[in-house]
mmCIF file of all heavy atoms in Angstrom:
data_model
loop_
_atom_site.group_PDB
_atom_site.id
_atom_site.type_symbol
_atom_site.label_atom_id
_atom_site.label_comp_id
_atom_site.label_asym_id
_atom_site.label_seq_id
_atom_site.Cartn_x
_atom_site.Cartn_y
_atom_site.Cartn_z
ATOM 1 N N GLY A 934 57.664 248.037 168.919
ATOM 2 C CA GLY A 934 59.098 248.075 168.755
ATOM 3 C C GLY A 934 59.676 247.101 167.830
ATOM 4 O O GLY A 934 60.904 246.830 167.838
ATOM 5 N N ASN A 935 58.858 246.467 166.947
ATOM 6 C CA ASN A 935 59.345 245.460 166.018
ATOM 7 C C ASN A 935 59.536 246.087 164.639
ATOM 8 O O ASN A 935 59.034 247.178 164.322
ATOM 9 C CB ASN A 935 58.364 244.336 165.923
ATOM 10 C CG ASN A 935 58.063 243.683 167.213
ATOM 11 O OD1 ASN A 935 58.940 242.952 167.758
ATOM 12 N ND2 ASN A 935 56.839 243.918 167.846
ATOM 13 N N ALA A 936 60.186 245.356 163.754
ATOM 14 C CA ALA A 936 60.109 245.584 162.340
ATOM 15 C C ALA A 936 59.162 244.528 161.670
ATOM 16 O O ALA A 936 58.960 243.384 162.321
ATOM 17 C CB ALA A 936 61.503 245.513 161.724
ATOM 18 N N VAL A 937 58.594 244.798 160.621
ATOM 19 C CA VAL A 937 57.646 243.884 160.001
ATOM 20 C C VAL A 937 57.841 243.765 158.550
ATOM 21 O O VAL A 937 58.109 244.794 157.821
ATOM 22 C CB VAL A 937 56.194 244.364 160.311
ATOM 23 C CG1 VAL A 937 55.812 245.704 159.732
ATOM 24 C CG2 VAL A 937 55.174 243.325 159.876
ATOM 25 N N ILE A 938 57.770 242.589 158.037
ATOM 26 C CA ILE A 938 57.666 242.252 156.610
ATOM 27 C C ILE A 938 56.320 241.838 156.292
ATOM 28 O O ILE A 938 55.785 240.898 156.923
ATOM 29 C CB ILE A 938 58.754 241.185 156.256
ATOM 30 C CG1 ILE A 938 60.176 241.658 156.526
ATOM 31 C CG2 ILE A 938 58.541 240.776 154.779
ATOM 32 C CD1 ILE A 938 61.217 240.579 156.386
ATOM 33 N N LEU A 939 55.687 242.459 155.305
ATOM 34 C CA LEU A 939 54.320 242.224 154.989
ATOM 35 C C LEU A 939 54.190 241.490 153.575
ATOM 36 O O LEU A 939 54.716 242.069 152.633
ATOM 37 C CB LEU A 939 53.520 243.526 154.931
ATOM 38 C CG LEU A 939 53.591 244.372 156.199
ATOM 39 C CD1 LEU A 939 53.414 245.879 155.947
ATOM 40 C CD2 LEU A 939 52.581 243.864 157.173
ATOM 41 N N LYS A 940 53.523 240.351 153.597
ATOM 42 C CA LYS A 940 53.354 239.669 152.297
ATOM 43 C C LYS A 940 51.864 239.415 152.092
ATOM 44 O O LYS A 940 51.207 238.540 152.690
ATOM 45 C CB LYS A 940 54.088 238.238 152.315
ATOM 46 C CG LYS A 940 53.810 237.389 151.093
ATOM 47 C CD LYS A 940 54.239 237.963 149.796
ATOM 48 C CE LYS A 940 54.046 237.091 148.594
ATOM 49 N NZ LYS A 940 52.602 237.066 148.149
ATOM 50 N N GLY A 941 51.171 240.285 151.368
ATOM 51 C CA GLY A 941 49.840 240.154 151.160
ATOM 52 C C GLY A 941 49.492 239.260 149.989
ATOM 53 O O GLY A 941 50.406 238.813 149.280
ATOM 54 N N GLY A 942 48.235 238.992 149.690
ATOM 55 C CA GLY A 942 47.802 238.184 148.597
ATOM 56 C C GLY A 942 47.890 238.914 147.280
ATOM 57 O O GLY A 942 47.844 240.101 147.180
ATOM 58 N N SER A 943 48.094 238.102 146.224
ATOM 59 C CA SER A 943 48.195 238.660 144.880
ATOM 60 C C SER A 943 46.945 239.496 144.485
ATOM 61 O O SER A 943 47.147 240.479 143.713
ATOM 62 C CB SER A 943 48.467 237.470 143.859
ATOM 63 O OG SER A 943 47.413 236.586 143.874
ATOM 64 N N GLU A 944 45.806 239.118 144.996
ATOM 65 C CA GLU A 944 44.607 239.839 144.631
ATOM 66 C C GLU A 944 44.565 241.258 145.161
ATOM 67 O O GLU A 944 43.776 242.072 144.695
ATOM 68 C CB GLU A 944 43.373 239.031 145.121
ATOM 69 C CG GLU A 944 43.155 239.054 146.622
ATOM 70 C CD GLU A 944 44.040 237.971 147.307
ATOM 71 O OE1 GLU A 944 44.889 237.384 146.703
ATOM 72 O OE2 GLU A 944 43.818 237.813 148.509
ATOM 73 N N ALA A 945 45.367 241.558 146.124
ATOM 74 C CA ALA A 945 45.371 242.882 146.741
ATOM 75 C C ALA A 945 46.728 243.635 146.530
ATOM 76 O O ALA A 945 46.998 244.619 147.275
ATOM 77 C CB ALA A 945 45.111 242.781 148.227
ATOM 78 N N LEU A 946 47.518 243.245 145.590
ATOM 79 C CA LEU A 946 48.830 243.792 145.445
ATOM 80 C C LEU A 946 48.860 245.379 145.225
ATOM 81 O O LEU A 946 49.611 246.032 145.911
ATOM 82 C CB LEU A 946 49.601 243.092 144.267
ATOM 83 C CG LEU A 946 51.051 243.504 144.117
ATOM 84 C CD1 LEU A 946 51.885 243.260 145.383
ATOM 85 C CD2 LEU A 946 51.675 242.768 142.938
ATOM 86 N N ALA A 947 48.027 245.814 144.320
ATOM 87 C CA ALA A 947 47.956 247.302 144.147
ATOM 88 C C ALA A 947 47.563 248.115 145.359
ATOM 89 O O ALA A 947 48.151 249.077 145.703
ATOM 90 C CB ALA A 947 47.076 247.605 142.920
ATOM 91 N N SER A 948 46.546 247.548 146.034
ATOM 92 C CA SER A 948 46.100 248.216 147.290
ATOM 93 C C SER A 948 47.217 248.224 148.360
ATOM 94 O O SER A 948 47.462 249.223 149.004
ATOM 95 C CB SER A 948 44.852 247.512 147.868
ATOM 96 O OG SER A 948 43.801 247.359 146.914
ATOM 97 N N ASN A 949 47.824 247.052 148.484
ATOM 98 C CA ASN A 949 48.885 246.939 149.512
ATOM 99 C C ASN A 949 50.103 247.797 149.205
ATOM 100 O O ASN A 949 50.699 248.436 150.068
ATOM 101 C CB ASN A 949 49.335 245.545 149.645
ATOM 102 C CG ASN A 949 48.261 244.620 150.333
ATOM 103 O OD1 ASN A 949 47.443 245.152 151.095
ATOM 104 N ND2 ASN A 949 48.285 243.359 150.065
ATOM 105 N N LEU A 950 50.468 247.907 147.905
ATOM 106 C CA LEU A 950 51.601 248.798 147.524
ATOM 107 C C LEU A 950 51.218 250.249 147.893
ATOM 108 O O LEU A 950 52.116 250.985 148.363
ATOM 109 C CB LEU A 950 51.929 248.615 146.042
ATOM 110 C CG LEU A 950 52.646 247.338 145.670
ATOM 111 C CD1 LEU A 950 52.630 247.150 144.114
ATOM 112 C CD2 LEU A 950 54.065 247.392 146.199
ATOM 113 N N ALA A 951 50.042 250.652 147.594
ATOM 114 C CA ALA A 951 49.637 252.016 147.923
ATOM 115 C C ALA A 951 49.710 252.251 149.431
ATOM 116 O O ALA A 951 50.246 253.341 149.876
ATOM 117 C CB ALA A 951 48.211 252.321 147.391
ATOM 118 N N LEU A 952 49.211 251.332 150.244
ATOM 119 C CA LEU A 952 49.250 251.511 151.677
ATOM 120 C C LEU A 952 50.688 251.400 152.225
ATOM 121 O O LEU A 952 51.040 252.241 153.127
ATOM 122 C CB LEU A 952 48.387 250.454 152.347
ATOM 123 C CG LEU A 952 46.917 250.516 152.126
ATOM 124 C CD1 LEU A 952 46.144 249.304 152.515
ATOM 125 C CD2 LEU A 952 46.292 251.798 152.819
ATOM 126 N N ALA A 953 51.509 250.578 151.616
ATOM 127 C CA ALA A 953 52.908 250.442 152.066
ATOM 128 C C ALA A 953 53.647 251.744 151.742
ATOM 129 O O ALA A 953 54.570 252.164 152.540
ATOM 130 C CB ALA A 953 53.581 249.329 151.368
ATOM 131 N N GLY A 954 53.332 252.482 150.713
ATOM 132 C CA GLY A 954 53.937 253.753 150.412
ATOM 133 C C GLY A 954 53.665 254.728 151.540
ATOM 134 O O GLY A 954 54.526 255.567 151.862
ATOM 135 N N LEU A 955 52.441 254.749 152.048
ATOM 136 C CA LEU A 955 52.113 255.595 153.131
ATOM 137 C C LEU A 955 52.840 255.268 154.381
ATOM 138 O O LEU A 955 53.270 256.113 155.146
ATOM 139 C CB LEU A 955 50.584 255.584 153.440
ATOM 140 C CG LEU A 955 49.711 255.930 152.232
ATOM 141 C CD1 LEU A 955 48.203 256.000 152.636
ATOM 142 C CD2 LEU A 955 50.090 257.277 151.562
ATOM 143 N N LEU A 956 52.967 254.003 154.681
ATOM 144 C CA LEU A 956 53.774 253.536 155.862
ATOM 145 C C LEU A 956 55.211 254.083 155.765
ATOM 146 O O LEU A 956 55.767 254.636 156.736
ATOM 147 C CB LEU A 956 53.790 252.026 155.888
ATOM 148 C CG LEU A 956 52.510 251.325 156.478
ATOM 149 C CD1 LEU A 956 52.581 249.828 156.177
ATOM 150 C CD2 LEU A 956 52.415 251.570 157.973
ATOM 151 N N ARG A 957 55.829 253.909 154.639
ATOM 152 C CA ARG A 957 57.184 254.270 154.492
ATOM 153 C C ARG A 957 57.384 255.807 154.675
ATOM 154 O O ARG A 957 58.284 256.286 155.332
ATOM 155 C CB ARG A 957 57.674 253.875 153.028
ATOM 156 C CG ARG A 957 59.213 253.962 152.921
ATOM 157 C CD ARG A 957 59.702 253.334 151.618
ATOM 158 N NE ARG A 957 61.163 253.345 151.647
ATOM 159 C CZ ARG A 957 61.878 252.303 151.986
ATOM 160 N NH1 ARG A 957 61.269 251.273 152.589
ATOM 161 N NH2 ARG A 957 63.223 252.333 152.036
ATOM 162 N N GLU A 958 56.418 256.557 154.042
ATOM 163 C CA GLU A 958 56.516 258.011 154.137
ATOM 164 C C GLU A 958 56.339 258.470 155.589
ATOM 165 O O GLU A 958 57.060 259.351 156.033
ATOM 166 C CB GLU A 958 55.424 258.666 153.244
ATOM 167 C CG GLU A 958 55.483 260.189 153.335
ATOM 168 C CD GLU A 958 54.463 260.781 152.382
ATOM 169 O OE1 GLU A 958 54.008 260.154 151.408
ATOM 170 O OE2 GLU A 958 54.087 261.990 152.571
ATOM 171 N N ALA A 959 55.435 257.824 156.304
ATOM 172 C CA ALA A 959 55.202 258.233 157.715
ATOM 173 C C ALA A 959 56.385 257.855 158.527
ATOM 174 O O ALA A 959 56.728 258.633 159.532
ATOM 175 C CB ALA A 959 53.971 257.504 158.240
ATOM 176 N N LEU A 960 57.010 256.769 158.339
ATOM 177 C CA LEU A 960 58.197 256.363 159.126
ATOM 178 C C LEU A 960 59.331 257.378 158.827
ATOM 179 O O LEU A 960 60.035 257.858 159.765
ATOM 180 C CB LEU A 960 58.699 255.022 158.696
ATOM 181 C CG LEU A 960 57.879 253.832 159.248
ATOM 182 C CD1 LEU A 960 58.179 252.527 158.553
ATOM 183 C CD2 LEU A 960 58.183 253.638 160.796
ATOM 184 N N GLU A 961 59.608 257.724 157.557
ATOM 185 C CA GLU A 961 60.674 258.620 157.241
ATOM 186 C C GLU A 961 60.497 259.999 157.825
ATOM 187 O O GLU A 961 61.427 260.633 158.345
ATOM 188 C CB GLU A 961 60.772 258.788 155.761
ATOM 189 C CG GLU A 961 61.393 257.494 155.038
ATOM 190 C CD GLU A 961 61.340 257.580 153.538
ATOM 191 O OE1 GLU A 961 60.478 258.352 153.049
ATOM 192 O OE2 GLU A 961 62.134 256.830 152.868
ATOM 193 N N THR A 962 59.275 260.498 157.739
ATOM 194 C CA THR A 962 59.024 261.853 158.343
ATOM 195 C C THR A 962 58.973 261.850 159.816
ATOM 196 O O THR A 962 58.898 262.932 160.507
ATOM 197 C CB THR A 962 57.724 262.450 157.780
ATOM 198 O OG1 THR A 962 56.618 261.512 158.105
ATOM 199 C CG2 THR A 962 57.723 262.649 156.276
ATOM 200 N N SER A 963 59.019 260.701 160.518
ATOM 201 C CA SER A 963 59.034 260.597 161.959
ATOM 202 C C SER A 963 60.466 260.146 162.473
ATOM 203 O O SER A 963 60.619 259.825 163.610
ATOM 204 C CB SER A 963 57.978 259.579 162.407
ATOM 205 O OG SER A 963 56.757 259.996 161.944
ATOM 206 N N ASP A 964 61.398 260.183 161.543
ATOM 207 C CA ASP A 964 62.840 259.846 161.915
ATOM 208 C C ASP A 964 62.923 258.362 162.455
ATOM 209 O O ASP A 964 63.747 258.139 163.286
ATOM 210 C CB ASP A 964 63.406 260.792 162.962
ATOM 211 C CG ASP A 964 63.570 262.240 162.393
ATOM 212 O OD1 ASP A 964 63.887 262.327 161.163
ATOM 213 O OD2 ASP A 964 63.286 263.189 163.126
ATOM 214 N N LEU A 965 62.123 257.525 161.873
ATOM 215 C CA LEU A 965 62.242 256.087 162.146
ATOM 216 C C LEU A 965 62.683 255.423 160.858
ATOM 217 O O LEU A 965 62.441 255.905 159.742
ATOM 218 C CB LEU A 965 60.918 255.516 162.629
ATOM 219 C CG LEU A 965 60.424 256.085 163.989
ATOM 220 C CD1 LEU A 965 59.019 255.564 164.250
ATOM 221 C CD2 LEU A 965 61.354 255.605 165.057
ATOM 222 N N PRO A 966 63.312 254.217 160.951
ATOM 223 C CA PRO A 966 63.873 253.637 159.723
ATOM 224 C C PRO A 966 62.676 253.135 158.780
ATOM 225 O O PRO A 966 61.788 252.473 159.222
ATOM 226 C CB PRO A 966 64.592 252.376 160.290
ATOM 227 C CG PRO A 966 64.011 252.126 161.669
ATOM 228 C CD PRO A 966 63.666 253.477 162.138
ATOM 229 N N ALA A 967 62.784 253.573 157.548
ATOM 230 C CA ALA A 967 61.752 253.221 156.604
ATOM 231 C C ALA A 967 61.646 251.727 156.333
ATOM 232 O O ALA A 967 60.541 251.101 156.067
ATOM 233 C CB ALA A 967 62.004 253.887 155.224
ATOM 234 N N ASP A 968 62.776 251.009 156.524
ATOM 235 C CA ASP A 968 62.729 249.597 156.355
ATOM 236 C C ASP A 968 62.160 248.813 157.512
ATOM 237 O O ASP A 968 62.118 247.579 157.470
ATOM 238 C CB ASP A 968 64.230 249.073 156.107
ATOM 239 C CG ASP A 968 64.812 249.505 154.838
ATOM 240 O OD1 ASP A 968 63.981 249.701 153.872
ATOM 241 O OD2 ASP A 968 66.071 249.678 154.700
ATOM 242 N N ALA A 969 61.622 249.537 158.485
ATOM 243 C CA ALA A 969 60.981 248.821 159.568
ATOM 244 C C ALA A 969 59.633 248.270 159.114
ATOM 245 O O ALA A 969 59.052 247.341 159.780
ATOM 246 C CB ALA A 969 60.732 249.783 160.745
ATOM 247 N N ALA A 970 59.026 248.742 157.995
ATOM 248 C CA ALA A 970 57.809 248.193 157.460
ATOM 249 C C ALA A 970 58.019 248.011 155.937
ATOM 250 O O ALA A 970 58.106 248.997 155.216
ATOM 251 C CB ALA A 970 56.698 249.102 157.731
ATOM 252 N N GLN A 971 58.177 246.795 155.463
ATOM 253 C CA GLN A 971 58.394 246.537 154.090
ATOM 254 C C GLN A 971 57.353 245.528 153.550
ATOM 255 O O GLN A 971 57.011 244.577 154.187
ATOM 256 C CB GLN A 971 59.772 245.852 153.932
ATOM 257 C CG GLN A 971 61.002 246.678 154.357
ATOM 258 C CD GLN A 971 62.241 245.888 154.238
ATOM 259 O OE1 GLN A 971 62.806 245.741 153.147
ATOM 260 N NE2 GLN A 971 62.836 245.447 155.389
#
């Protein structure tokens, strides 16, 4: 039931951006706030 801000390392930025995109899409399609995982 929390919101989360994710700050990964610079060495994994491209990987993390790709995974964060999936998180946002899954939240939006489940009628939950997309900003709950940034």
Side-chain angles (χ1 to χ4, degrees):
N935 302 289
V937 62
I938 296 172
L939 302 155
K940 173 64 176 78
S943 58
E944 70 279 9
L946 185 57
S948 306
N949 288 334
L950 285 169
L952 292 168
L955 302 186
L956 282 167
R957 192 173 189 91
E958 181 176 341
L960 284 164
E961 288 174 336
T962 57
S963 305
D964 295 323
L965 293 173
D968 289 331
Q971 300 176 74

